[in-house]
Structure formats: structure tokens, C-alpha cells
């Protein structure tokens, strides 16, 4: 008696192959997400005024909603703004479905943040500079 094995039927089923491919692609995306985030944050810091930016490790846990940046060092104008800092965030995952992020908890360890206010109204937070505030025009009542 020749009976076709169940294993061969499963491997030929398109739905099983599609599900396995989807799970594999999601797994690869979750593995590459910290690397891409690390490269993007380093690039963003350099574009926003940092002289050097080094991030040693980023950990992302999408199931619990935690993001941790380990060992970040940023220099600005010859001064070290962040030195071997560990920053972690706990984000409310349900709010992400509404395209809104609620940071439930943020922990900053070993962070020295340099804040400077310029005469023209600009502020500098570490390596990020804000634009000056618009002057307020007061209307006189008649």
C-alpha cells in the first residue's frame, strides 16, 4: 500500500508556505530593526549639530514596548554632552495603534545634558538646537 505522507502535503500547501514566509520575514525585520535604528539615530544626531555620535547597542522589545539605548556618547563643540549614557523608554503599545506614542516611563542613567539659551531665543539641548520663539504682538483694545 502506498500512502502519501502528510509531511509532503503540508510542504505543498500554499497557505502553509505563505505563513512560514511571513513569519520568517517578520523575524528578520525584528532582528534588523535595532541595527537600522542605531544607524538612523547616529545620522540624526550628526545632522542636528553633534560633532561625533556613538551608540553601542540598541535593544527593542516590541512585545513589552521597551526601547533601550546603551552606551551612547555624543560630543558637541569639543564638549562631551552624553558620555556612556544608558537611556530606556517604556512605550504604551496600545497608543501606537492610534498613531500616538505615550512614554509611560523613561530612565536616564549617566546622562549629563547641556542646555544653553542664546540671545536670539534659540535653545540648545545637548546636540539639538531649537528655533527662536516668534515675537508676540499685542493688540491694543480700542
Amino acid at each position: 500500500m502506498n500512502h502519501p505522507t502528510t509531511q509532503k502535503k503540508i510542504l505543498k500547501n500554499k497557505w502553509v508556505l505563505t505563513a512560514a514566509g511571513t513569519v520568517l520575514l517578520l523575524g528578520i525585520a525584528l532582528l534588523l530593526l535595532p541595527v537600522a535604528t542605531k544607524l538612523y539615530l547616529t545620522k540624526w544626531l550628526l545632522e542636528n549639530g553633534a560633532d561625533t555620535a556613538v551608540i553601542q547597542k540598541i535593544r527593542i522589545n516590541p512585545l513589552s514596548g521597551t526601547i533601550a539605548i546603551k552606551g551612547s556618547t555624543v560630543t558637541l563643540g569639543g564638549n562631551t554632552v552624553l558620555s556612556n549614557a544608558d537611556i530606556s523608554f517604556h512605550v504604551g503599545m496600545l497608543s501606537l495603534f492610534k498613531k500616538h506614542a505615550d512614554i509611560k516611563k523613561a530612565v536616564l542613567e549617566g546622562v549629563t545634558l547641556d542646555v544653553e539659551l542664546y540671545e536670539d531665543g534659540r535653545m540648545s539641548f545637548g546636540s539639538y538646537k531649537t528655533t527662536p520663539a516668534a515675537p508676540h504682538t499685542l493688540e491694543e483694545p480700542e
Side-chain angles (χ1 to χ4, degrees), residues 4 12 22 26 30-32 39 41 95 103 110-111 118 125 128:
K12 290 183 180 180
T22 303
L26 284 174
L30 287 177
L31 288 175
L32 292 178
L39 292 173
L41 281 177
S95 63
I103 297 177
V111 174
Y118 297 102
F125 299 95
Y128 184 75

Side-chain angles (χ1 to χ4, degrees), residues 17-67:
L17 291 176
T18 303
T22 303
V23 168
L24 182 66
L25 286 175
L26 284 174
I28 290 172
L30 287 177
L31 288 175
L32 292 178
L33 185 63
V35 175
T37 305
K38 177 180 170 181
L39 292 173
Y40 176 76
L41 281 177
T42 304
K43 179 183 170 190
W44 183 85
L45 285 168
L46 292 173
E47 286 176 354
N48 284 292
D51 296 334
T52 61
V54 176
I55 298 174
Q56 291 179 357
K57 184 184 276 188
I58 292 185
R59 290 186 178 179
I60 299 174
N61 187 345
L63 299 177
S64 66
T66 57
I67 301 168

Side-chain angles (χ1 to χ4, degrees), residues 77-140:
N79 297 325
T80 302
V81 181
L82 293 176
S83 175
N84 200 20
D86 294 336
I87 304 168
S88 62
F89 298 103
H90 180 76
V91 180
M93 295 302 289
L94 294 177
S95 63
L96 291 177
F97 291 112
K98 300 174 190 171
K99 297 181 183 177
H100 178 74
D102 281 337
I103 297 177
K104 292 184 175 182
K105 182 179 179 183
V107 178
L108 306 173
E109 295 177 3
V111 174
T112 303
L113 187 59
D114 183 30
V115 180
E116 186 176 350
L117 177 63
Y118 297 102
E119 291 180 9
D120 63 353
R122 292 181 300 146
M123 288 189 81
S124 171
F125 299 95
S127 66
Y128 184 75
K129 291 183 176 63
T130 64
T131 57
H136 297 288
T137 57
L138 298 175
E139 294 181 15
E140 294 182 15

